[in-house]
């Protein structure tokens, strides 16, 4: 008589629980990101990863607008530009430290968000897309034409050359450029900046946004995105909900702009081309609209891939491949690589079942084989 | 979460760390000296980047064949700047990690400017063969040397030419890029200092229809376009079609066969002049250089900035030999005093790193759409 | 000042031709084909290849040019149909957002695909296939013969389209679908075929605009569709999107306004785009139906 070799265990192994796996992956990711400089702190790696983290921050912001609230914003880079220029102007004209410019950046982006979003959020999604694109171009052209001198007469905003000599972050007399000495180890500016950006991106960007998304506001966004009329019927003021999403997205982009400006210590209008709005959108869409881990991965993908492949022949056509990827994703996996509705892009339970079935089939075959032997 | 989870998490971390290490694989052996070039190799300016690489390669091969530099062979490392500040800074950081000892790149001024700090902090001298906006030498850094004449020198040459031809009502047109606006600003300055009447406008190089600008051109007897070749060709063509018959001058960004070919022969070779730094066909040893270049690169003519880059490499090699090391401070000190006889003429630098003695000349479009020396304005 | 008018009207014709395609597609399936401007560029590119690939074509002169124009229109129209079939049709029942994003992706594919094969450098149109010189004075301005020819061709195309939409059965089918897609199916209209036809015609028009553009200006590039596409959309909105005559009127209006803006800036182009896009935003917020608007803009 066959023994109980085929009876499945009643308790499933812990790894088939998607939530556990997600938790592990999240922890691994955070640990990795913080430990990275200890393994490799070359200027190249630090630069690439800092830019990737800024992209994550940008992606999370756009995720609020596109992913949660369902508004297609093709001019997102405009707020990034406003943030970068605001922090540059405030610190250079009034000689205040960067952290003091943060409220200025936030206010500027809120105002911009209201001005741009106010009249246009009532429009259909198609129109909204083109209008936001138009705004992006207006901001870019204006930035390119802008020539402002500092109060002391020296050039500050130099038209197409943008702004130079932007101040690094400093707190009470200590600036990142001074470096940090911890227990005999000297940490240079670039690494400090990397930690700074990473922490902000993770805390404010990832953690902060997902908290918002899981709260009442987030639920309101999802309701409006899924069916606006039903949401109205349920008493949600769709207009306020949409504009809140838009403004939050704007502020996030502005802060990302400030981070970029302090990373490069300069900012130029050539960085405000439509291409970059499109790239951030691709990060969100390909990663997974409305999905935090999806957008994080998408943003890192869109930022790192061109950099890592920068010196290969076919990197020349990266935008062609991105375009194709975007179309393919929309056709076959429209929710993105890591859909918001899934905890993981795969189902651990299904994998477990498949493995178990294979084991059982194999055990069955072995059993038949041994029984055949005995009946010989 | 149990202990086994923590173990698994750490195991995964270790795996990723290993993966990262492999990605940042150690650079080559330390018995080569690496020359870094952050230039556009993608996008509209890619061909200029490629000319610069070829110029450098020619010089490097010659030096290597003669025994190398300080006993070591030279190697070129390139990274794409795509003429955009963000990409350029990534390229610069990439090269610094590759342990280059000198930066020989820089085509778009706007993209080169943010890389100055990066190279300077990494103790790498910068010799810039093509980018020539004045903003590059206005920074507090002193490891920057421009081999191409600065915008102000070019504007001066342009202004002198209009004076030589007796033009009275001047117009300067830029395309709203960093480099272009720079040249335009200096041109206006020179004109105003001399008391001439000058107007200045901008155009959008992404457009094709310049009828608005043409209308303005028709009100003047000469115009100087300081943008790039694509817009230059269209602008000139449309002006000529509208009946313009005044002076036409373009800056070095438009000195390219595209300008002439867009306008079309025979008209182009009648009226288009440019301010440019020298090319091989304009110099005495030019023929020899062109033959060497053709032999090496498959029978194509050397394009813009080939000899500037060639000169840059040779210049640096001489400085290193004199200084006895590749250390930035030592090399910089020699470069500030150096007098090198290059293909582009005698090279020496001002205190701020710009090139002494403007190497600009007036060129004119010829029947095959290339620009040839017309007047070196020496007299 | 007359010159400003002439220049503006000519520019307007270019915008109008491209805006027509935008408007048609939007009118029928309520999709803003973001890749439409790039189809315009694609038409120019394949025409260029045809002109330079066949040796000896030069001797056929204007006949060859005309032939290439027609052939290019067909090929571009076919490309439009292909794009619709591959990327838009499968998503017809998907949320609007997906369709728009796909259109953005398609735009990238066209732009950078062309860059891959035709290079990133500006391409010079063959000299012999370019419009000649020669101009006629009108009041205190001049108009070149080539401009007259092109404007005439554009107007002929637009008028032809008008007849088609209003006079033929397929045209009626298109208008029916624009009004009510489901009812049209019930009435026996082959929706799929009609939509394909709309894409064909809209894209063919854009392709024609592209070829004429190359012939007139003499230089084309892989990114030239981006800005023109945006302007064409602006034109369509100003005139009244979904409305054929609106697209034409909007195109002419935008061309005139742009040219006048530059005139008042003494030839300086710095702020022209800001004005154009500012107009777009103004119209969309205050009068979304455009000048001629007869379509109600629904909310999402």
């Amino acid at each position: 008589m066959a023994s109980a070799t085929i009876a499945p265990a009643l308790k499933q192994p812990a790894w088939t629980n998607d939530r556990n796996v997600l938790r592990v992956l999240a922890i691994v990711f955070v640990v990795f990101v913080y430990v990275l400089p200890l393994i490799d702190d070359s200027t190249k790696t630090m630069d690439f990863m800092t830019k990737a983290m800024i992209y994550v921050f940008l992606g999370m912001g756009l995720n609020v607008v596109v992913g949660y609230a369902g508004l297609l914003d093709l001019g997102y880079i405009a707020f990034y530009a406003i943030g970068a220029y605001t922090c540059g102007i405030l610190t250079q004209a009034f000689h205040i430290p960067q952290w003091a410019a943060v409220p200025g950046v936030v206010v500027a982006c809120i105002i911009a968000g209201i001005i741009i979003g106010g009249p246009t959020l009532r429009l259909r999604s198609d129109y909204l897309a083109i209008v936001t694109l138009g705004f992006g171009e207006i901001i870019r052209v204006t930035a390119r034409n802008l020539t402002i001198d500092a109060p002391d007469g020296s050039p500050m905003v130099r038209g197409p050359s943008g702004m130079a000599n932007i101040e690094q972050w400093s707190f009470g007399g200590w600036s990142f450029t001074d470096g940090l000495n911890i227990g005999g180890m000297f940490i240079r500016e670039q690494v400090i900046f990397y930690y700074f950006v990473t922490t902000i991106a993770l805390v404010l960007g990832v953690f902060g946004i997902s908290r918002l998304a899981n709260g009442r506001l987030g639920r309101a966004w999802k309701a409006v995105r899924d069916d606006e009329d039903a949401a109205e019927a349920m008493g949600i003021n769709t207009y306020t909900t949409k504009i809140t999403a838009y403004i939050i997205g704007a502020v996030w982009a502005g802060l990302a702009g400030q981070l970029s400006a302090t990373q490069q210590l300069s900012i130029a209008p050539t960085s405000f081309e439509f291409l970059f709005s499109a790239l951030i959108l691709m990060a969100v869409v390909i990663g997974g609209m409305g999905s935090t881990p999806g957008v994080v991965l998408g943003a890192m993908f869109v930022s790192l891939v061109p950099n890592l492949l920068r010196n290969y022949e076919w990197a020349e056509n990266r935008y062609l491949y991105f375009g194709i990827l975007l179309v393919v994703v929309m056709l076959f996996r429209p929710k993105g690589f890591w859909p918001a509705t899934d905890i993981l892009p795969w189902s651990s339970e299904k994998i477990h079942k498949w493995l178990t079935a294979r084991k059982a089939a194999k055990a069955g075959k072995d059993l038949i084989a041994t029984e055949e032997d005995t009946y010989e | 979460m149990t202990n086994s989870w923590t173990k698994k998490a750490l195991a995964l971390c270790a795996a990723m760390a290993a993966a990262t290490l492999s990605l940042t694989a150690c650079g080559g052996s330390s018995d080569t000296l690496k020359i870094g070039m952050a230039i556009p190799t993608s996008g509209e300016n890619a061909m200029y980047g490629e000319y610069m690489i070829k110029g450098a390669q020619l010089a490097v091969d010659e030096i290597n064949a003669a025994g190398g530099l300080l006993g070591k062979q030279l190697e070129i490392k390139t990274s794409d700047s795509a003429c955009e500040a963000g990409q350029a800074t990534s390229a610069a950081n990439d090269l610094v990690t590759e342990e280059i000892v000198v930066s020989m790149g820089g085509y778009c001024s706007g993209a080169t400017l943010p890389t100055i700090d990066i190279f300077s902090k990494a103790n790498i001298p910068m010799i810039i063969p093509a980018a020539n906006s004045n903003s590059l030498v206005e920074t507090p850094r002193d490891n920057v040397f421009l081999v191409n004449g600065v915008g102000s020198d070019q504007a001066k040459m342009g202004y002198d030419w209009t004076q030589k031809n007796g033009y009275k009502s001047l117009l300067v047109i830029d395309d709203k890029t960093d480099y272009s606006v720079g040249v335009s600003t200096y041109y206006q300055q020179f004109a105003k200092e001399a008391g001439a009447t000058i107007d200045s406008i901008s155009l959008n190089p992404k457009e094709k229809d310049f009828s608005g600008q043409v209308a303005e051109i028709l009100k003047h007897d000469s115009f100087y376009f300081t943008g790039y070749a694509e817009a230059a060709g269209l602008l000139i063509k449309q002006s000529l079609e509208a009946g313009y018959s005044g002076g036409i001058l373009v800056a070095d960004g438009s000195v390219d066969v595209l300008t002439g070919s867009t306008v079309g022969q025979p008209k182009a070779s009648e009226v288009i002049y440019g301010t440019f730094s020298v090319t091989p066909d304009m110099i005495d040893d030019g023929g020899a250089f062109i033959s060497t270049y053709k032999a090496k690169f498959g029978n194509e003519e050397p394009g813009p900035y080939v000899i500037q880059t060639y000169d840059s490499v040779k210049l640096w090699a001489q400085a290193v030999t004199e200084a006895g090391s590749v250390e930035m401070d030592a090399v910089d000190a020699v470069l500030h005093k150096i007098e090198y006889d290059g293909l582009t003429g005698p090279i020496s630098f001002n205190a701020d790193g710009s090139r002494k003695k403007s190497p600009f000349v007036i060129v004119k479009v010829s029947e095959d759409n290339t620009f040839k020396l017309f007047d070196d304005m020496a007299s | 000042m007359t010159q400003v008018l002439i220049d503006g009207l000519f520019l307007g014709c270019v915008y109008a031709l491209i805006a027509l395609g935008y408007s048609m597609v939007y009118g029928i399936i309520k999709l803003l084909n973001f890749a439409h401007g790039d189809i315009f560029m694609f038409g120019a590119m394949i025409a260029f290849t045809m002109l330079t690939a066949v040796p000896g074509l030069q001797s056929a002169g204007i006949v060859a040019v005309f032939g290439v124009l027609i052939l290019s229109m067909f090929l571009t129209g076919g490309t439009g149909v292909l794009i619709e079939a591959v990327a838009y049709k499968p998503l017809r029942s998907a949320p609007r957002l997906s369709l728009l994003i796909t259109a953005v992706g398609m735009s990238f594919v066209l732009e950078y695909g062309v860059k891959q094969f035709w290079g990133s450098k500006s391409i010079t149109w063959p000299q012999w296939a370019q419009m000649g010189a020669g101009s006629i004075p009108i009041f205190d301005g001049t108009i070149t013969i080539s401009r007259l020819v092109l404007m005439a061709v554009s107007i002929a195309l637009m008028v032809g389209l008008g007849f088609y939409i209003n006079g033929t059965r397929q045209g009626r089918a298109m208008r029916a679908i624009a009004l009510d897609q489901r009812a049209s199916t019930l009435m026996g209209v082959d929706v799929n075929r009609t939509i394909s036809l709309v894409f064909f015609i809209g894209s063919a028009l854009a392709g024609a605009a592209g070829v004429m553009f190359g012939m007139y200006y003499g230089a084309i590039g892989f990114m030239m569709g981006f800005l023109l596409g945006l302007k064409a959309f602006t034109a369509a909105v100003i005139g009244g999107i979904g409305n054929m005559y609106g697209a034409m009127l909007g195109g002419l209006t935008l061309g005139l306004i742009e040219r006048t803006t530059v005139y008042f800036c003494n030839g300086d182009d710095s702020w022209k785009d800001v004005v154009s896009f500012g107009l777009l935003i103004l119209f969309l917020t205050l009068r979304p139906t455009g000048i001629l608007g007869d379509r109600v803009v629904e909310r999402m």
Side-chain angles (χ1 to χ4, degrees), chain B residues 43-44 47 176 201-204 206-209 211-213 215-216 230 234 237-238 256 258 261-265, chain C residues 7 11 115 120-122 124 127 130 147 213 216-220 224 227 231 259 262 266-270 272-273:
Chain B
E44 305 141 338
M47 50 167 240
K176 285 256 159 247
I201 59 176
S202 315
L203 56 74
N204 182 350
K206 290 188 184 156
E207 295 273 13
K208 298 271 190 269
D209 189 309
S211 40
Q213 287 72 39
E216 188 64 18
E230 289 165 4
L234 291 168
K237 180 168 195 259
Q238 290 168 26
D256 182 86
L258 185 62
S261 68
T262 308
V263 174
Q265 296 291 344
Chain C
D7 293 339
L11 192 60
K115 178 181 165 217
S120 52
K121 230 188 144 184
S122 184
T124 313
Q127 211 49 306
Q130 284 189 36
R147 275 192 177 172
F213 195 88
Y216 179 77
Y217 289 108
I220 57 178
M224 73 184 201
L227 191 61
K231 296 287 179 68
R259 186 61 186 84
V262 174
N266 287 322
D268 189 87
D269 199 314
S270 308
K272 182 185 75 185
D273 288 351

XYZ file of all heavy atoms in Angstrom, chain B residues 43-44 47 176 201-204 206-209 211-213 215-216 230 234 237-238 256 258 261-265, chain C residues 7 11 115 120-122 124 127 130 147 213 216-220 224 227 231 259 262 266-270 272-273:
440
model
N 22.890 61.404 -30.933
C 22.193 62.659 -31.163
C 22.757 63.421 -32.343
O 23.588 62.952 -33.100
N 22.299 64.658 -32.470
C 22.590 65.420 -33.687
C 24.056 65.770 -33.825
O 24.535 66.028 -34.922
C 21.794 66.717 -33.671
C 20.342 66.456 -33.497
C 19.664 67.468 -32.597
O 20.359 68.126 -31.781
O 18.443 67.570 -32.719
N 28.353 63.301 -35.097
C 29.448 63.235 -36.067
C 30.626 64.086 -35.637
O 31.774 63.754 -35.930
C 28.969 63.640 -37.443
C 28.216 64.919 -37.507
S 28.072 65.414 -39.204
C 28.912 66.965 -39.126
N 19.845 80.690 -29.550
C 19.454 80.464 -28.164
C 20.190 79.297 -27.524
O 19.665 78.661 -26.620
C 17.946 80.212 -28.049
C 17.129 81.463 -28.203
C 16.639 81.926 -26.852
C 16.265 83.354 -26.808
N 17.053 84.224 -26.017
N 18.728 89.386 -32.795
C 17.517 88.585 -32.624
C 17.902 87.123 -32.447
O 19.055 86.754 -32.661
C 16.562 88.719 -33.833
C 17.264 88.277 -35.127
C 16.034 90.125 -33.956
C 16.338 88.295 -36.320
N 16.930 86.320 -32.075
C 17.171 84.884 -31.938
C 16.226 84.125 -32.842
O 15.150 84.608 -33.166
C 16.881 84.427 -30.503
O 17.435 85.291 -29.588
N 16.645 82.941 -33.221
C 15.701 82.074 -33.920
C 15.636 80.736 -33.210
O 16.456 80.444 -32.342
C 16.096 81.906 -35.391
C 17.466 81.385 -35.786
C 17.631 79.891 -35.546
C 17.687 81.642 -37.263
N 14.647 79.946 -33.559
C 14.466 78.642 -32.958
C 14.982 77.593 -33.950
O 14.383 77.393 -35.001
C 12.983 78.413 -32.665
C 12.731 77.087 -31.995
O 13.626 76.247 -31.906
N 11.516 76.888 -31.525
N 14.764 74.584 -34.157
C 13.902 73.446 -34.461
C 12.930 73.783 -35.580
O 12.333 72.897 -36.177
C 13.109 73.045 -33.222
C 13.980 72.414 -32.164
C 13.141 71.862 -31.036
C 14.055 71.332 -29.946
N 13.419 71.293 -28.656
N 12.762 75.053 -35.834
C 11.847 75.449 -36.906
C 12.534 75.305 -38.252
O 13.741 75.163 -38.348
C 11.457 76.918 -36.722
C 10.673 77.197 -35.487
C 9.182 77.012 -35.700
O 8.808 76.439 -36.743
O 8.419 77.428 -34.845
N 11.715 75.377 -39.305
C 12.286 75.377 -40.642
C 11.945 76.670 -41.368
O 12.593 77.051 -42.308
C 11.751 74.194 -41.451
C 12.098 72.854 -40.867
C 13.440 72.351 -41.394
C 13.692 70.916 -41.008
N 14.400 70.745 -39.767
N 10.895 77.300 -40.913
C 10.444 78.500 -41.605
C 10.942 79.727 -40.861
O 10.520 80.007 -39.747
C 8.907 78.501 -41.665
C 8.382 79.601 -42.559
O 8.786 80.767 -42.379
O 7.582 79.285 -43.442
N 10.780 82.938 -42.037
C 10.355 84.140 -42.770
C 10.349 85.375 -41.883
O 10.618 86.478 -42.340
C 8.965 83.919 -43.393
O 8.116 83.224 -42.522
N 10.061 85.187 -40.592
C 10.088 86.336 -39.683
C 11.475 86.931 -39.588
O 11.663 88.152 -39.634
N 12.470 86.032 -39.452
C 13.834 86.520 -39.344
C 14.303 87.129 -40.664
O 15.043 88.113 -40.684
C 14.780 85.372 -38.949
C 14.638 84.934 -37.495
C 13.357 84.178 -37.255
O 12.931 83.384 -38.070
N 12.728 84.440 -36.121
N 12.562 88.712 -42.817
C 12.043 90.079 -42.952
C 12.948 91.067 -42.249
O 13.193 92.179 -42.732
C 10.632 90.148 -42.378
N 13.473 90.655 -41.109
C 14.360 91.534 -40.356
C 15.706 91.670 -41.054
O 16.313 92.742 -41.083
C 14.522 90.964 -38.940
C 15.262 91.844 -37.979
C 14.543 93.147 -37.688
O 13.331 93.238 -37.946
O 15.205 94.080 -37.223
N 22.440 73.489 -39.476
C 21.131 73.171 -40.027
C 20.293 74.419 -40.228
O 19.732 74.652 -41.289
C 20.412 72.208 -39.092
C 21.058 70.860 -39.141
C 20.659 69.960 -38.006
O 19.802 70.370 -37.201
O 21.201 68.859 -37.943
N 19.174 76.900 -43.925
C 17.802 77.306 -44.230
C 17.651 78.812 -44.173
O 17.012 79.423 -45.037
C 16.846 76.648 -43.233
C 16.712 75.145 -43.401
C 16.006 74.548 -42.211
C 15.949 74.845 -44.664
N 19.289 80.379 -47.203
C 18.519 80.071 -48.401
C 17.284 80.962 -48.487
O 16.985 81.547 -49.532
C 18.112 78.605 -48.334
C 17.297 78.100 -49.484
C 17.227 76.568 -49.406
C 16.740 76.021 -50.706
N 15.332 75.663 -50.679
N 16.559 81.060 -47.383
C 15.327 81.834 -47.410
C 15.598 83.317 -47.583
O 14.819 84.027 -48.229
C 14.518 81.549 -46.135
C 13.960 80.138 -46.160
C 13.394 79.683 -44.837
O 12.974 80.499 -44.020
N 13.365 78.389 -44.622
N 30.255 73.991 -42.066
C 30.024 72.578 -42.311
C 29.409 72.470 -43.695
O 28.733 73.394 -44.147
C 29.045 72.066 -41.237
C 28.788 70.590 -41.379
O 29.572 69.814 -40.836
O 27.813 70.223 -42.059
N 26.955 71.081 -44.705
C 25.492 71.134 -44.697
C 24.975 72.525 -45.044
O 23.989 72.681 -45.749
C 24.980 70.710 -43.314
C 23.472 70.603 -43.173
C 22.924 69.560 -44.112
C 23.114 70.264 -41.741
N 25.318 72.991 -48.789
C 24.486 72.098 -49.594
C 23.016 72.450 -49.451
O 22.237 72.254 -50.378
C 24.733 70.642 -49.215
O 24.252 70.376 -47.919
N 22.610 72.979 -48.304
C 21.205 73.370 -48.161
C 20.906 74.564 -49.053
O 19.854 74.652 -49.667
C 20.892 73.752 -46.701
O 21.325 72.704 -45.855
C 19.413 73.976 -46.517
N 21.845 75.484 -49.092
C 21.617 76.689 -49.900
C 21.706 76.363 -51.384
O 20.971 76.899 -52.204
C 22.645 77.775 -49.522
C 22.519 78.972 -50.443
C 22.478 78.169 -48.077
N 22.593 75.478 -51.708
C 22.703 75.052 -53.102
C 23.748 75.842 -53.859
O 23.896 77.047 -53.683
N 24.456 75.124 -54.711
C 25.413 75.787 -55.585
C 24.677 76.286 -56.812
O 23.657 75.740 -57.189
C 26.498 74.786 -55.975
C 27.323 74.308 -54.804
C 28.198 75.394 -54.244
O 28.416 76.424 -54.879
N 28.670 75.191 -53.047
N 3.333 85.424 -45.734
C 4.084 84.404 -45.013
C 3.180 83.616 -44.078
O 3.256 82.395 -43.998
C 5.193 85.061 -44.174
C 6.270 85.694 -45.033
O 6.396 85.305 -46.206
O 6.980 86.572 -44.516
N 2.407 79.577 -44.115
C 2.674 78.756 -42.931
C 1.388 78.082 -42.479
O 1.367 76.895 -42.111
C 3.228 79.661 -41.826
C 3.827 79.002 -40.600
C 4.992 78.133 -41.000
C 4.295 80.082 -39.625
N 15.481 57.927 -37.139
C 16.851 58.335 -36.826
C 17.814 57.185 -37.052
O 18.924 57.353 -37.541
C 16.906 58.792 -35.366
C 18.290 59.184 -34.921
C 18.270 59.596 -33.478
C 19.689 59.636 -32.957
N 19.885 59.198 -31.627
N 20.861 61.083 -37.831
C 20.366 62.185 -37.014
C 20.625 63.529 -37.658
O 20.086 64.540 -37.232
C 21.020 62.135 -35.639
O 22.417 62.067 -35.806
N 21.446 63.525 -38.692
C 21.787 64.800 -39.297
C 20.673 65.272 -40.210
O 19.924 64.474 -40.758
C 23.061 64.625 -40.119
C 24.087 65.682 -39.797
C 25.237 65.616 -40.738
C 25.687 67.055 -40.996
N 26.716 67.178 -41.949
N 20.590 66.577 -40.378
C 19.605 67.157 -41.276
C 19.869 66.662 -42.699
O 21.002 66.558 -43.129
C 19.734 68.677 -41.208
O 18.750 69.270 -41.993
N 19.436 66.994 -46.760
C 19.172 67.983 -47.799
C 18.378 67.363 -48.927
O 18.757 66.338 -49.474
C 20.493 68.544 -48.361
O 21.330 68.884 -47.274
C 20.236 69.762 -49.210
N 18.435 68.820 -54.970
C 18.294 70.146 -55.582
C 17.259 70.167 -56.712
O 16.431 71.054 -56.804
C 19.663 70.534 -56.130
C 20.061 71.965 -56.164
C 19.904 72.807 -54.982
O 18.848 72.936 -54.393
N 20.982 73.458 -54.614
N 13.587 70.338 -55.768
C 13.121 71.442 -54.946
C 12.351 72.431 -55.800
O 12.503 72.475 -57.017
C 14.317 72.162 -54.312
C 14.909 71.391 -53.161
C 15.934 72.209 -52.432
O 15.769 73.413 -52.300
N 16.976 71.570 -51.958
N 5.503 79.001 -53.547
C 4.510 79.101 -52.489
C 3.112 79.045 -53.054
O 2.234 78.376 -52.494
C 4.675 80.427 -51.747
C 5.707 80.348 -50.673
C 5.617 81.557 -49.826
N 6.558 81.496 -48.734
C 6.795 82.489 -47.926
N 6.164 83.632 -48.103
N 7.644 82.351 -46.941
N 6.731 69.928 -47.888
C 7.618 70.601 -46.965
C 9.062 70.449 -47.410
O 9.817 71.427 -47.490
C 7.420 69.983 -45.584
C 7.993 70.774 -44.473
C 7.241 71.756 -43.862
C 9.264 70.536 -44.012
C 7.757 72.489 -42.821
C 9.788 71.261 -42.974
C 9.035 72.241 -42.374
N 9.778 72.375 -50.529
C 9.826 73.825 -50.394
C 11.018 74.288 -49.572
O 11.773 75.154 -49.978
C 8.524 74.341 -49.765
C 8.543 75.825 -49.600
C 8.334 76.647 -50.703
C 8.807 76.407 -48.377
C 8.398 78.016 -50.570
C 8.862 77.776 -48.251
C 8.649 78.586 -49.349
O 8.710 79.932 -49.218
N 11.188 73.691 -48.377
C 12.240 74.192 -47.499
C 13.600 73.599 -47.812
O 14.628 74.178 -47.507
C 11.882 73.918 -46.033
C 10.764 74.783 -45.546
C 9.501 74.262 -45.321
C 10.964 76.146 -45.339
C 8.468 75.059 -44.881
C 9.929 76.951 -44.899
C 8.694 76.397 -44.671
O 7.672 77.193 -44.244
N 13.600 72.421 -48.407
C 14.870 71.847 -48.835
C 15.622 71.070 -47.782
O 16.686 70.523 -48.063
N 15.126 70.993 -46.564
C 15.850 70.238 -45.532
C 14.854 69.560 -44.608
O 13.850 70.156 -44.234
C 16.751 71.162 -44.742
N 15.129 68.317 -44.270
C 14.234 67.574 -43.367
C 15.064 66.879 -42.291
O 16.260 66.653 -42.477
C 13.384 66.527 -44.124
C 14.286 65.564 -44.890
C 12.414 67.208 -45.056
C 13.521 64.495 -45.619
N 11.511 66.709 -36.982
C 10.739 67.872 -37.432
C 9.236 67.703 -37.200
O 8.502 68.681 -37.189
C 11.038 68.184 -38.892
C 10.439 67.227 -39.883
S 11.005 67.698 -41.526
C 9.767 66.930 -42.528
N 7.521 69.328 -33.229
C 7.013 70.688 -33.027
C 5.823 70.968 -33.936
O 4.812 71.523 -33.519
C 8.134 71.696 -33.294
C 7.832 73.124 -32.874
C 7.574 73.181 -31.391
C 8.988 74.038 -33.243
N 1.993 72.099 -33.043
C 1.377 73.298 -33.605
C 0.102 72.941 -34.351
O -0.897 73.647 -34.301
C 2.347 73.995 -34.567
C 3.617 74.519 -33.920
C 3.321 75.755 -33.078
C 4.556 76.280 -32.393
N 5.511 76.840 -33.389
N 3.250 84.442 -37.328
C 4.066 85.319 -38.152
C 3.971 86.751 -37.647
O 4.969 87.472 -37.613
C 3.584 85.190 -39.603
C 4.398 85.928 -40.604
C 5.838 85.455 -40.644
N 6.571 86.329 -41.530
C 7.082 87.491 -41.139
N 6.974 87.875 -39.895
N 7.712 88.259 -42.008
N 6.130 87.316 -34.494
C 7.541 87.509 -34.808
C 7.762 88.898 -35.389
O 8.754 89.564 -35.115
C 8.034 86.425 -35.788
C 9.451 86.700 -36.222
C 7.948 85.067 -35.138
N 10.212 92.152 -34.000
C 11.312 92.527 -34.897
C 12.165 91.340 -35.310
O 13.392 91.410 -35.317
C 12.214 93.576 -34.243
C 11.526 94.914 -34.207
O 10.837 95.274 -35.151
N 11.674 95.619 -33.111
N 11.509 90.265 -35.636
C 12.253 89.130 -36.164
C 12.739 88.170 -35.093
O 13.268 87.118 -35.400
N 12.539 88.513 -33.843
C 13.032 87.641 -32.785
C 12.036 86.530 -32.490
O 10.845 86.762 -32.347
C 13.270 88.476 -31.512
C 13.991 87.682 -30.458
O 15.226 87.661 -30.491
O 13.302 87.081 -29.629
N 12.551 85.333 -32.401
C 11.699 84.152 -32.289
C 11.524 83.674 -30.858
O 10.895 82.672 -30.608
C 12.340 83.028 -33.122
C 11.348 81.945 -33.442
O 10.614 81.522 -32.540
O 11.310 81.525 -34.600
N 12.096 84.381 -29.887
C 12.176 83.807 -28.545
C 10.843 83.465 -27.927
O 10.734 82.517 -27.166
C 12.901 84.767 -27.598
O 14.120 85.145 -28.138
N 7.732 83.215 -29.586
C 6.646 82.813 -30.475
C 5.929 81.558 -29.981
O 4.711 81.496 -29.957
C 7.222 82.575 -31.870
C 6.174 82.197 -32.889
C 6.813 81.852 -34.197
C 7.445 80.485 -34.105
N 8.199 80.137 -35.311
N 6.718 80.555 -29.578
C 6.099 79.306 -29.135
C 5.280 79.507 -27.879
O 4.243 78.874 -27.691
C 7.182 78.250 -28.870
C 7.796 77.751 -30.164
O 7.259 78.100 -31.231
O 8.792 77.029 -30.100
